[in-house]
Amino acid sequence: QGNETKGEAHLTVAVTHVPKAKRFIPWLLCHRVEDGGLLGHAAEQLIHGDDRIDLESAELDRRYRIYASPQRDDVWLHELFSPSFIVWLLEAAPGGLAFEYVEGMLCVSLVGRRTTTEDLDSLRDATVELVARIRAEIRESLGRAQGRSAPRAPGYPAAPPA
């Protein structure tokens, strides 16, 4: 645990694909302030001077650093980080949560080796929450039909008639 401040840490991650968001935000990083040393070489290549996002929430700024592509849709980004999303990040998200969205891939992480069912469930639930919020903003921007990721309802196709 002591080496976490030197840029080395164990993380437990969940990765999923949310391709339609990249038209609004090619990349987005949301990391806890105390994990600043964990941002690796890839993040350093993305982040430049004015890529840090100010959402005018003192508590959010105290706890998180948010960076986004200069090619972002600012209206879409501010709607994603709605007051209810900010409250969720600050009060309901699991401890140690961070997330990165890069070119269609969403990586959600918790600091530490999380192996208990409770920890893994909280990571899954946080990932589902983030995907739901991102997809809701996509649907709001593109319309319901265009915002769908799948051509039909998820699940197994109906069995053919016998």
Side-chain angles (χ1 to χ4, degrees):
Q1 294 287 339
N3 64 355
E4 289 178 9
T5 59
K6 296 178 183 152
E8 297 178 16
H10 294 285
L11 300 171
T12 304
V13 301
V15 179
T16 189
H17 194 61
V18 190
K20 290 190 177 185
K22 65 184 171 185
R23 72 172 49 175
F24 302 104
I25 190 154
W27 62 265
L28 168 70
L29 308 176
C30 181
H31 284 267
R32 298 175 328 139
V33 169
E34 61 263 34
D35 298 337
L38 299 180
L39 292 175
H41 182 68
E44 292 171 4
Q45 297 300 311
L46 289 175
I47 299 170
H48 300 289
D50 50 341
D51 295 342
R52 181 153 174 231
I53 305 301
D54 179 9
L55 295 166
E56 300 179 11
S57 166
E59 183 64 16
L60 184 69
D61 285 344
R62 189 176 69 73
R63 294 178 46 195
Y64 283 94
R65 292 291 179 261
I66 301 166
Y67 302 92
S69 168
Q71 289 81 37
R72 67 189 174 259
D73 179 325
D74 278 320
V75 172
W76 190 90
L77 178 65
H78 281 81
E79 287 176 1
L80 175 65
F81 281 90
S82 66
S84 67
F85 183 43
I86 292 171
V87 168
W88 178 82
L89 276 172
L90 297 174
E91 297 178 7
L97 177 82
F99 64 92
E100 301 175 0
Y101 176 83
V102 179
E103 292 294 325
M105 299 301 295
L106 177 66
C107 178
V108 183
S109 63
L110 298 176
V111 172
R113 284 190 178 145
R114 308 292 183 104
T115 58
T116 67
T117 301
E118 182 180 318
D119 285 341
L120 296 175
D121 284 350
S122 71
L123 176 60
R124 179 207 56 219
D125 293 347
T127 303
V128 168
E129 178 71 21
L130 287 166
V131 169
R133 287 180 180 274
I134 292 169
R135 285 186 176 158
E137 287 308 318
I138 293 168
R139 279 191 305 275
E140 187 173 310
S141 297
L142 297 179
R144 186 153 185 85
Q146 295 251 338
R148 289 187 53 89
S149 293
R152 62 184 174 279
Y156 294 103

